[in-house]
Amino acid sequence: MGNIYLPLLTVTILLTSFTMISFGTIISVAVPSVMGEFGVGQDKAQLLATGFYVAMTISQLVSSWLINKISHYYTYLLSVILFSSASILGAMSEDYYLIVISRITQGISAGILLNQTYFSIVQAFPIERRATALILFTCSTISAMGAGPLIGGVAIEYVNWRYIFVAPLPLLFLAFIFGNIVMPKSKTSKTLTFDWLGMFFITLCLSSFLAAISDGQRQGWDSNYILSLFIISFLTALSFIYTQINRKNRLLDFRLFKNKVYFCGILITFCTSMGNFGAIYAVPIFAQIIQNLSPIDAGFMMFPASIVTLLCLPAISFYSNRIVSRDACIFGLLLFSLGLYPLVSADVNTPYLFMICFAAISRIGIGINNPFLGKVTISEIPPEQLQSAISVMNFFRILGTAIGTSIWVVVLERRASIHSTNLINTQTAANTTSTDTLAKLQFLLEIEGIRELQGLQLSLQFIGALIHKEALTLAYQDGFVLLLGIFIFAIIVSFAFGRR
């Protein structure tokens, strides 16, 4: 195909990664709608996001084996077909858990495709142009992070929340056509073995952890059922690590962690994924539940941030070989923390424009950090180990996304319960603010002709709703503190890169 091959391959990769990431982030704006339609809490609704990411975490481990076994071409085509089928299933399903299954199936395909596209773009570009290639890949992912919630908001506002499952599919169809042209059909090995034991351990580990997180608030965190799930998750995690160190055929090459730069890069990748996608999940839900914004307004909140970041990326690309990667990573993480810090005190009165500006600062930070972090992390990896190194990096990137979202939801549920109890305990006869408010509400209701007893009941319900809203606001603020702490830790680790 000559000179057109590399640009067409790049477009295919960018379209695919954009669609996969947008399908991951699109669900955040739909969570309140799902909670209302199926009568589930945050602990169950988050399965639509965490189930997707956990499935991505596991399935991307199969990507390299599939590529070697059946080629890039058939791996790509079969994954796109499976993803599209799952999307249609999710759009048509009436049962909540069937929708969760469709999201998990989407995640399985997305994990394979994202790992395949990331490796393809690194493999296709020479070392001197690799930073530019990674910046292009970052453009795709960052724009998808902003476009996903916006597309979801438009679908919910003007059609129905179920359309979030099919809205980005036209782009994937276009990528599918290009993939038929550019994806190579050559196979590396027909006899390549696969570590099915390791796959069993990691699947059981993450599934048990996800089930424990999902049911912990309802079953009780100290119940035998939840403790058993955590024990199973812990033991299978140890078994997985043991098999990856001692078996010849392995899913992840943990020997790479002997390289200090690579180890620090993976740790930062894990932390930034926890904080970044935790914020992407949290902010649109906060905007709807706390600030009473419409789905489209909540979804739009992240979009200008992505546009601003994309405008900054050409400058980042220009200086990519002139800036010390460590300094760029630290600066990017500092910017994200700066954008996240005001959310620690955000409430119903925080102006919409301020929320957009905070999001923009954070997105610029991630846009600066990610390409330089990817570049420095694999900078000391030999070419023959590059595919294994990328697989490990993608594994921990997606694992951080799943765990970050899950832990954030747990913190939100727990802190909301604690704040609610504390606020209720302040509602006594000695609390003049509450008693005065109650009296004024009853007086206003009596003017409207509502009887005294009924007026008292309505007034108490109103105050109860205020307490619940305030408890949720405080819980969201605590959740943002957690995300901020994760990024501060990542900044500290970044100093270990040295002058690279």
Side-chain angles (χ1 to χ4, degrees):
M1 294 180 64
N3 295 331
I4 196 175
Y5 176 78
L6 189 57
L8 191 58
L9 176 65
T10 304
V11 171
T12 304
I13 290 170
L14 297 182
L15 281 174
T16 305
S17 60
F18 176 90
T19 309
M20 296 301 105
I21 296 296
S22 64
F23 264 106
T25 59
I26 200 173
I27 198 65
S28 60
V29 77
V31 166
S33 299
V34 173
M35 291 169 63
E37 178 155 339
F38 292 99
V40 297
Q42 285 266 13
D43 54 343
K44 292 294 184 184
Q46 56 95 19
L47 285 173
L48 296 175
T50 54
F52 181 90
Y53 293 130
V54 166
M56 282 180 64
T57 303
I58 297 170
S59 67
Q60 65 96 23
L61 297 174
V62 188
S63 181
S64 295
W65 178 76
L66 282 174
I67 291 170
N68 291 324
K69 194 75 174 177
I70 64 174
S71 78
H72 268 286
Y73 179 83
Y74 289 108
T75 298
Y76 184 82
L77 263 60
L78 290 174
S79 298
V80 171
I81 291 171
L82 179 62
F83 189 95
S84 302
S85 302
S87 300
I88 295 171
L89 174 65
M92 298 175 63
S93 299
E94 295 295 333
D95 181 76
Y96 175 71
Y97 288 101
L98 196 57
I99 293 174
V100 173
I101 290 173
S102 73
R103 285 288 292 174
I104 291 173
T105 307
Q106 283 184 326
I108 291 171
S109 302
I112 295 171
L113 287 168
L114 277 176
N115 194 58
Q116 182 183 15
T117 54
Y118 190 89
F119 177 71
S120 296
I121 201 167
V122 171
Q123 193 178 46
F125 282 80
I127 294 176
E128 63 273 12
R129 297 174 60 191
R130 190 170 291 162
T132 301
L134 291 174
I135 287 173
L136 287 173
F137 192 83
T138 301
C139 284
S140 174
T141 56
I142 286 179
S143 58
M145 291 175 191
L150 178 60
I151 294 170
V154 172
I156 295 169
E157 191 84 7
Y158 295 108
V159 193
N160 185 281
W161 67 267
R162 293 180 180 278
Y163 281 80
I164 65 172
F165 284 92
V166 296
L169 282 184
L171 289 178
L172 188 60
F173 177 72
L174 183 60
F176 180 80
I177 295 174
F178 291 159
N180 272 282
I181 300 172
V182 299
M183 288 297 173
K185 296 183 179 181
S186 58
K187 306 174 188 178
T188 303
S189 172
K190 293 183 179 180
T191 59
L192 187 68
T193 57
F194 184 72
D195 183 13
W196 293 108
L197 181 62
M199 177 60 75
F200 169 77
F201 283 137
I202 192 61
T203 301
L204 185 56
C205 169
L206 294 179
S207 300
S208 300
F209 178 80
L210 185 61
I213 292 295
S214 174
D215 293 336
Q217 189 71 11
R218 296 175 184 272
Q219 298 284 344
W221 294 103
D222 56 352
S223 67
N224 291 335
Y225 171 67
I226 298 301
L227 291 177
S228 297
L229 288 174
F230 278 126
I231 291 172
I232 291 172
S233 180
F234 177 72
L235 292 178
T236 49
L238 291 180
S239 300
F240 176 73
I241 294 171
Y242 178 82
T243 58
Q244 300 312 292
I245 293 174
N246 293 284
R247 288 171 64 90
K248 182 178 179 180
N249 297 313
R250 54 177 69 91
L251 297 173
L252 298 175
D253 190 355
F254 286 163
R255 294 173 300 177
L256 293 166
F257 289 140
K258 293 178 181 179
N259 185 300
K260 175 186 172 183
V261 172
Y262 184 77
F263 175 77
C264 291
I266 294 298
L267 184 58
I268 297 170
T269 298
F270 179 78
C271 291
T272 52
S273 293
M274 286 182 67
N276 182 31
F277 280 88
I280 290 172
Y281 180 82
V283 171
I285 301 175
F286 173 85
Q288 290 182 78
I289 293 179
I290 302 301
Q291 297 193 308
N292 302 315
L293 294 178
S294 67
I296 192 170
D297 288 336
F300 181 78
M301 189 177 290
M302 307 296 290
F303 187 70
S306 295
I307 299 300
V308 171
T309 306
L310 290 175
L311 293 176
C312 294
L313 283 177
I316 298 172
S317 177
F318 178 78
Y319 289 105
S320 61
N321 293 319
R322 298 171 173 84
I323 303 175
V324 177
S325 294
R326 182 201 66 179
D327 296 341
C329 288
I330 293 173
F331 181 66
L333 293 172
L334 281 171
L335 274 184
F336 192 98
S337 301
L338 182 64
L340 191 60
Y341 178 75
L343 298 182
V344 171
S345 58
D347 56 23
V348 67
N349 297 313
T350 303
Y352 183 66
L353 183 59
F354 282 15
M355 296 290 291
I356 292 177
C357 291
F358 301 155
I361 294 172
S362 297
R363 291 302 101 210
I364 293 172
I366 285 295
I368 294 173
N369 173 77
N370 282 0
F372 288 99
L373 178 60
K375 176 185 175 184
V376 72
T377 299
I378 60 175
S379 61
E380 297 184 357
I381 301 299
E384 65 273 11
Q385 292 182 298
L386 190 59
Q387 185 170 356
S388 297
I390 291 173
S391 293
V392 174
M393 184 164 60
N394 284 339
F395 174 82
F396 281 98
R397 176 185 290 113
I398 304 171
L399 180 63
T401 299
I403 291 179
T405 305
S406 299
I407 291 178
W408 184 85
V409 171
V410 170
V411 170
L412 178 69
E413 293 280 328
R414 293 288 293 169
R415 296 301 296 170
S417 177
I418 292 171
H419 286 305
S420 181
T421 300
N422 292 338
L423 290 171
I424 289 172
N425 289 337
T426 64
Q427 304 306 302
T428 64
N431 189 327
T432 56
T433 302
S434 296
T435 53
D436 289 347
T437 302
L438 187 62
K440 290 177 181 177
L441 286 172
Q442 286 182 271
F443 174 74
L444 293 173
L445 291 172
E446 286 177 5
I447 293 176
E448 297 297 324
I450 297 176
R451 297 178 182 178
E452 182 178 354
L453 180 59
Q454 186 180 5
L456 177 61
Q457 292 174 340
L458 291 173
S459 299
L460 290 173
Q461 289 177 7
F462 179 78
I463 291 178
L466 289 179
I467 292 173
H468 176 69
K469 191 72 168 283
E470 181 63 20
L472 274 179
T473 301
L474 295 173
Y476 274 97
Q477 293 173 356
D478 293 341
F480 290 129
V481 170
L482 172 67
L483 299 179
L484 182 61
I486 291 171
F487 272 90
I488 291 174
F489 175 75
I491 291 171
I492 295 172
V493 177
S494 299
F495 285 95
F497 281 144
R499 300 295 298 176
R500 289 176 176 82

